[in-house]
Amino acid sequence: MEKKSYRFGIISALQEEQAGLITQMLNAKTVTLGKRDYVQGNLWGVDCVCVLSRLGKVASSATAAMLIERFEVSHLLFTGVAGSADPEVRVGDIVIASELVQHDMDTRPLFPRFEIPLTGLSRFPSDTGINRYLLEAASSFLEQDLLTEISEESRLDFNLQQPRIHQGLIASGDEFIASVARLQELKVDFPDLLAVEMEGAAVAQVCHEFDVPFSVIRTISDNANEDSAVDFLSFIRHVASVYAFHTMRRLCALLP
Ligand code: ADE
């Protein structure tokens, strides 16, 4: 039965972070706008619109605004990968953002560093309601699907022993973080930072401006250090889409 109170916009930056979802859609219809394919249909009983934003804050903001205005989504979800910004957060772990900051926003001396001008905000909180369902969906995925859905070879390659789920601060910027020194600078600015990526806080700003509830869920693909590009590519190829697919499947089943 369709869950009529929702229309979820589901964004990922890259195809590998969302692969498989649209093949599960019933009554899928594709609309191409702004060089992106928006695929609308029914995913496990939930009306959804799936789209790939490509990388970065501008690309993801344009995509989020289109989902809200043209497709009238009720909720927005970003699913993808991120670099770890904390030793407790390991490759294969999942981070659900409780709040998001744009680490490259700096309009000093006009406004305080990191503040989004004229909003009075630097950190945007995500939706606690969806986050609760996401946490349950991701926990069930790790407990019940990981061993069957991810090959032993990949589990060994990426040392996916007992992946954990974290909730906290994610920082976004138009920069792939690939050095320990750069990550340390970010940690000075945000000691509570759990993960870095390139889209979530931009989507958060757009959702704030349109009053649309949103969540960001990220699987850790790398440690944002000198090896991050190699780890990132290999991880998204072999693991990322499996996490996204099964977490989304379980989320749709859980939604009331
Ligand atoms: N997404 C995944 N890994 C990342 C990194 N190291 N920096 C920025 N975005 C990322």
Side-chain angles (χ1 to χ4, degrees):
M1 198 178 58
E2 180 149 358
K3 302 174 188 198
K4 295 213 186 301
S5 49
Y6 303 96
R7 175 175 289 164
F8 262 91
I10 304 177
I11 314 182
S12 302
L14 298 172
Q15 198 261 337
E16 291 85 347
E17 295 171 298
Q18 202 180 90
L21 277 191
I22 59 173
T23 58
Q24 287 297 313
M25 260 192 181
L26 299 178
N27 305 319
K29 197 178 81 189
T30 302
V31 178
T32 304
L33 286 167
K35 301 192 171 68
R36 292 182 181 85
D37 290 339
Y38 294 78
V39 187
Q40 181 170 3
N42 191 286
L43 258 185
W44 298 291
V46 180
D47 186 12
C48 291
V49 185
C50 293
V51 58
L52 304 176
S53 62
R54 304 193 288 276
L55 300 182
K57 295 194 302 171
V58 173
S60 55
S61 313
T63 310
M66 197 64 89
L67 280 171
I68 294 167
E69 266 300 289
R70 280 280 187 116
F71 295 91
E72 299 183 327
V73 298
S74 62
H75 295 74
L76 218 148
L77 190 71
F78 199 108
T79 172
V81 297
S84 168
D86 188 293
E88 288 292 306
V89 178
R90 292 191 276 269
V91 169
D93 284 4
I94 292 172
V95 178
I96 298 170
S98 54
E99 46 183 12
L100 297 106
V101 67
Q102 295 177 31
H103 67 69
D104 54 359
M105 177 57 76
D106 188 352
T107 59
R108 289 173 298 175
L110 303 180
F111 295 95
R113 194 171 178 204
F114 308 121
E115 187 171 304
I116 305 303
L118 305 173
T119 65
L121 290 172
S122 54
R123 294 181 179 214
F124 290 87
S126 58
D127 185 76
T128 52
I130 318 173
N131 288 349
R132 260 196 300 278
Y133 289 115
L134 265 180
L135 179 62
E136 193 176 337
S139 307
S140 308
F141 161 70
L142 290 179
E143 281 161 24
Q144 296 174 43
D145 303 329
L146 189 78
L147 292 182
T148 51
E149 302 299 334
I150 297 191
S151 69
E152 190 179 3
E153 189 186 353
S154 289
R155 279 184 273 120
L156 287 172
D157 279 356
F158 296 102
N159 199 17
L160 307 178
Q161 301 279 16
Q162 279 188 315
R164 293 185 301 167
I165 304 173
H166 311 264
Q167 288 183 278
L169 179 67
I170 289 185
S172 314
D174 286 324
E175 178 184 2
F176 188 82
I177 309 296
S179 91
V180 172
R182 179 67 187 114
L183 185 61
Q184 280 319 309
E185 287 173 0
L186 292 174
K187 285 295 273 190
V188 171
D189 293 326
F190 310 107
D192 54 337
L193 184 62
L194 295 185
V196 287
E197 37 88 310
M198 302 176 65
E199 297 85 17
V203 170
Q205 181 183 340
V206 173
C207 287
H208 167 78
E209 289 167 359
F210 285 91
D211 288 321
V212 169
F214 75 94
S215 290
V216 175
I217 181 166
R218 296 281 188 173
T219 307
I220 298 300
S221 56
D222 59 81
N223 289 310
N225 60 15
E226 282 68 7
D227 299 326
S228 59
V230 177
D231 296 345
F232 169 88
L233 288 171
S234 161
F235 190 91
I236 60 169
R237 213 164 284 148
H238 296 104
V239 183
S241 61
V242 182
Y243 270 65
F245 182 92
H246 289 284
T247 304
M248 286 305 109
R249 177 173 66 78
R250 288 184 173 278
L251 175 71
C252 290
L254 278 171
L255 288 172

